Amino acid sequence: VPRVLERVATLDGFINANINAQVQGYIVSRDYQEGSVVKKGDLLFQIDPRPFEAALAQAKGTLAKDQANKIKADADKKRAIDLFKKKVISDQERDTAIAAADSSTANVEADQAAVQQAEINLSYTKVTAPIDGMVGFANNQVGDLVGPSTGPLTTMSQVDPIKAVVTAGEGPFTDFVCRHPDATERNAYVKTLQFELILGNGEVYPQKGNFYALDRSLDVKTGSIRYYVTFPNPGNVLRPGQFGNVRFVADMKK
């Protein structure tokens, strides 16, 4: 006879991502349908880009100015070295020209970094989806001032596959380890298990699940350990937060 075990499970997104604003500004558009499925890279929110476009233009102007100064300083350095070799100028004058050239080079490198940072800040005005998944309701609307410290704009979850968070007591966990003391054999065994999901209305979900991962430690308050089981979720039938039971055949008893 099969030894069937059944555990209470809570469904959760395989990946849950908080969508935050990386720069401060006013939201000018929300570009997704709340509760819809989006692809990685899809535009979710647009923050007013004009202040960041101006900052980028200013950084590029400073870079161009310092690049022109660098060309002159490099020419002065070369000329000073030639004159020093001909014993026309002193050591101090040569060193001054070399220091000025080195300083102009450092200024150009700093300006290039400033331009790169300004470009990054401008790109942050387009808030895009980091994963494929389902996006929840927006916490901020058009016209709101948002920034890194204002909290998530919304939350999205990868729901295909979806994971079931299952809790097992310390006794069953210890019994499981005693039955499978070898780590290699234990890992191979759990990969052979087929899990069924019993939904809240008592129906059995048609897709079979597979073991994904075991938590690193037991909860000292409850004396239990969590493990994850993943289920295919085409059509997004299952949603994070649902409850159900996970059932599987542990082994066969004679």
Side-chain angles (χ1 to χ4, degrees):
V1 293
R3 187 168 65 96
V4 180
L5 299 181
E6 190 169 312
R7 299 279 186 264
V8 177
T10 305
L11 300 184
D12 196 9
F14 191 74
I15 299 175
N16 297 309
N18 287 328
I19 309 302
N20 295 282
Q22 302 271 38
V23 293
Q24 187 172 17
Y26 291 95
I27 296 177
V28 294
S29 67
R30 174 176 58 80
D31 299 274
Y32 76 97
Q33 177 65 40
E34 292 174 305
S36 65
V37 176
V38 300
K39 296 292 185 182
K40 180 179 180 180
D42 285 355
L43 183 64
L44 302 180
F45 295 91
Q46 172 75 54
I47 296 173
D48 187 1
R50 291 173 298 177
F52 303 95
E53 291 170 345
L56 176 59
Q58 183 179 6
K60 287 182 175 179
T62 303
L63 173 61
K65 181 184 70 174
D66 286 342
Q67 283 176 333
N69 292 336
K70 180 179 182 301
I71 293 173
K72 180 180 181 302
D74 289 342
D76 291 343
K77 173 184 174 181
K78 183 177 182 301
R79 191 179 303 111
I81 292 175
D82 291 340
L83 293 175
F84 175 76
K85 290 178 179 178
K86 295 177 182 178
K87 301 185 183 301
V88 176
I89 61 175
S90 64
D91 294 357
Q92 183 178 1
E93 292 172 311
R94 179 204 59 183
D95 293 344
T96 300
I98 293 174
D102 293 343
S103 176
S104 65
T105 299
N107 289 338
V108 169
E109 291 176 352
D111 293 341
Q112 289 172 340
V115 169
Q116 185 178 10
Q117 183 62 58
E119 290 173 342
I120 292 173
N121 289 340
L122 179 59
S123 69
Y124 283 156
T125 61
K126 294 183 182 294
V127 182
T128 58
I131 57 173
D132 296 345
M134 183 174 295
V135 191
F137 291 157
N139 298 323
N140 300 90
Q141 304 300 326
V142 173
D144 287 353
L145 178 63
V146 297
S149 61
T150 56
L153 303 177
T154 187
T155 303
M156 65 179 302
S157 299
Q158 181 182 337
V159 294
D160 187 17
I162 196 167
K163 68 184 178 185
V165 183
V166 188
T167 302
E170 182 176 357
F173 171 70
T174 305
D175 178 65
F176 165 70
V177 174
C178 292
R179 289 173 182 270
H180 306 277
D182 182 71
T184 303
E185 186 274 334
R186 184 165 62 245
N187 292 334
Y189 164 75
V190 295
K191 289 181 180 178
T192 64
L193 297 176
Q194 291 290 307
F195 294 82
E196 291 183 329
L197 177 63
I198 305 170
L199 302 176
N201 60 0
E203 294 186 3
V204 178
Y205 183 63
Q207 302 280 355
K208 302 291 186 181
N210 296 299
F211 179 84
Y212 179 70
L214 180 70
D215 203 354
R216 66 174 185 86
S217 64
L218 279 76
D219 189 327
V220 295
K221 296 180 181 179
T222 62
S224 59
I225 191 168
R226 297 181 305 169
Y227 61 91
Y228 293 159
V229 177
T230 58
F231 289 89
N233 188 26
N236 305 317
V237 176
L238 304 176
R239 298 295 179 95
Q242 279 185 262
F243 287 91
N245 287 356
V246 165
R247 182 172 62 195
F248 64 97
V249 176
D251 51 31
M252 302 296 293
K253 284 291 189 181
K254 293 185 178 180

